[in-house]
Amino acid sequence: MNTLKTQVRVQFVIILLLVFYLGWREFVDEAPPSGVKEASMENDESRKEEMKGTNKLPNYQAFIVPTPEELTFAGEKIVLKEPDLRERFDREIHVNANWHSNTILMIKRSHRWMAQISEVLKKNNVPDDFKYIVAIESNFEENARSHRNAVGFWQLLEGTAEQYGLEVNNEVDERRDPVKATEAACKYLHDAYDKFGDWTSVAASYNVGMRGLERRLDEQKVDSYFDVLLNDETSRYMFRILAAKAILENPGLYGFNIPVGERYRQPEFDTVKVEETIPDLVDFAHKHGITYKTLKRYNPWLRDRDLTVKNNTYEILISKDPLEQHLVQKLTK
């Protein structure tokens, strides 16, 4: 009996010593060697002193953007005194001011197409501010496609595109032609203006549809986009346009200092009028000194390797950029 008690005591002591040992090892493993903590702190202070007055510190600052009292769209004043309106604009301006990769690309791409879009809008008596719809619909990507199969700069559905005079088939999709798609969008915008009588409602209807906006205004017995309760996407839509306008008009104000040379440019073109079927667009491209890739880059509305011409004619753009005309030398040797 005494022997058993002795064995139990010995085992208890061994277990206790083992627990103490394991705890001590854990403390030793995690604790830094003597002097490391002090040295690390000294190094941090030294680095801070060294970096003072230099531009070596990474700029990870988030922009806080003051909300203005009022904005304008297409010459119409938008007062932001109401808390709901201020917060809706505040959300979109901060999203875009701090979503750096997306906004940088928006600014760079806009430089390629904004002037031409403005020309088409002006020719069709549509306010210039509508070019900012392209920024939020497609981010100036000619080949943009939504989950609803809306396509191109203006994100037109196939039925809407055909309704406003665009050709969409297996060989041609003019929704991807920035100029022709803008012409079609102008027709829609004028139809919407005839219905609503103000450009803000016209812009909102571009997202929810004319009948959709009209029905919600009637149901809630109001006559303004800013007074009607809408789904989240449409509720944000107008304020996304206003945020894009603010940044694209003055990108430096929001920290986007992108030199003109860093923005994407549009080359000069030769325009080839096509009145006969082209059996092979690869050969057609090579004949004009460019690759098929370059041909499709500036004519994204071409969907197939051939182009059938019946009673219509097409205009194909041929880049005159020497860097894209590199096949000319091969063809002339």
Side-chain angles (χ1 to χ4, degrees), residues 46-80:
S46 175
R47 287 180 61 197
K48 287 179 182 178
E49 288 297 323
E50 182 183 337
M51 301 296 271
K52 279 183 179 178
T54 73
N55 60 356
K56 295 180 182 178
L57 282 174
N59 184 8
Y60 294 139
Q61 296 177 355
F63 286 95
I64 305 300
V65 182
T67 303
E69 290 294 323
E70 61 182 48
L71 300 165
T72 61
F73 176 78
E76 297 172 0
K77 184 186 294 187
I78 301 167
V79 180
L80 299 179

Side-chain angles (χ1 to χ4, degrees), residues 104-308:
I104 287 169
L105 290 173
M106 177 179 73
I107 295 167
K108 286 189 170 191
R109 290 180 184 136
S110 69
H111 188 67
R112 180 187 292 146
W113 283 109
M114 285 258 273
Q116 287 160 284
I117 292 173
S118 288
E119 287 178 13
V120 177
L121 294 173
K122 183 178 180 180
K123 184 179 73 173
N124 287 275
N125 296 314
V126 172
D128 190 57
D129 280 353
F130 276 89
K131 65 190 177 188
Y132 301 114
I133 282 184
V134 178
I136 68 164
E137 285 285 351
S138 63
N139 206 14
F140 295 97
E141 290 189 74
E142 299 93 329
N143 291 311
R145 176 186 288 273
S146 77
H147 66 282
R148 297 175 182 172
N149 287 323
V151 169
F153 266 18
W154 291 87
Q155 290 291 278
L156 295 167
L157 294 169
E158 184 172 339
T160 305
E162 292 175 341
Q163 177 185 347
Y164 288 104
L166 297 182
E167 182 179 354
V168 181
N169 55 46
N170 291 333
E171 292 184 0
V172 170
D173 188 345
E174 291 183 331
R175 293 177 294 176
R176 299 180 190 272
D177 183 319
V179 173
K180 288 188 176 181
T182 304
E183 295 274 4
C186 286
K187 295 175 184 177
Y188 171 91
L189 297 173
H190 274 295
D191 284 351
Y193 188 81
D194 290 342
K195 177 178 287 291
F196 297 109
D198 68 275
W199 291 113
T200 300
S201 296
V202 170
S205 78
Y206 198 82
N207 177 257
V208 73
M210 283 185 263
R211 282 180 294 180
L213 181 61
E214 185 178 42
R215 183 168 62 250
R216 286 159 179 78
L217 291 170
D218 289 343
E219 288 171 351
Q220 298 176 38
K221 300 178 181 180
V222 293
D223 57 9
S224 169
Y225 165 82
F226 299 108
D227 292 327
V228 68
L229 180 65
L230 297 160
N231 65 71
D232 185 62
E233 181 182 340
T234 309
S235 180
R236 295 179 63 183
Y237 194 76
M238 194 64 222
F239 295 93
R240 291 178 62 207
I241 296 172
L242 293 169
K245 176 186 175 182
I247 291 173
L248 286 170
E249 284 186 340
N250 194 353
L253 181 64
Y254 301 94
F256 297 99
N257 298 301
I258 304 173
V260 173
E262 291 293 323
R263 303 184 189 192
Y264 303 146
R265 65 182 183 84
Q266 193 77 294
E268 293 184 6
F269 295 109
D270 282 328
T271 302
V272 178
K273 184 171 286 190
V274 178
E275 298 176 325
E276 296 180 355
T277 294
I278 302 174
D280 191 335
L281 285 167
V282 173
D283 291 340
F284 176 86
H286 287 194
K287 178 182 176 182
H288 289 88
I290 60 175
T291 62
Y292 179 62
K293 179 187 76 171
T294 301
L295 179 74
K296 288 294 295 287
R297 174 176 170 79
Y298 298 113
N299 301 276
W301 52 274
L302 293 168
R303 299 185 68 181
D304 211 339
R305 283 276 300 271
D306 57 353
L307 178 61
T308 303

